Amino acid sequence: MPVLGGRSTQKRRLKAEVPFEVAAAVRRGRVRGLLAYFPLEDLRPGLYAIYEAAVVASERGGGLGRRLLGAVLGRLRERGAREVEVLTVPEVSEFAHRIYLEAGFLPVASWAIY
């Protein structure tokens, strides 16, 4: 998996048995952002989950997270995704929560943090 802020010199495909993928934004040989996602076919056909999204601090606020999310949603549509779920906690990551809302995600549950 790419390391956020680390060097990236090649594209690698995961083995077929690995259920998740990572989309990485690379600039000047360094990973500037990444988004990991995986299928939840065992629960419902066409269901995917976004596991993690991150952007290096120096790139935040410039639209990189939105572009990564848009690229991943496009890829998932091509794969036949009908639903995509993500867990965000507004109190922990207000900006990420807002990006998902702007992309059309709907809140379905509230969680308590202990």
Side-chain angles (χ1 to χ4, degrees), residues 22-53:
V22 177
V26 179
R27 186 177 337 160
R28 295 187 187 120
R30 294 217 177 259
V31 177
R32 310 313 292 164
L34 55 84
L35 197 150
Y37 56 96
F38 58 94
L40 291 171
E41 292 286 330
D42 293 347
L43 296 177
R44 275 192 310 282
L47 177 62
Y48 285 79
I50 292 175
Y51 174 71
E52 182 176 1

Side-chain angles (χ1 to χ4, degrees), residues 85-103:
E85 295 181 352
V86 64
L87 172 63
T88 61
V89 181
E91 295 82 8
V92 174
S93 184
E94 181 182 340
F95 189 70
H97 189 75
R98 189 170 9 134
I99 288 174
Y100 291 119
L101 290 175
E102 290 171 1

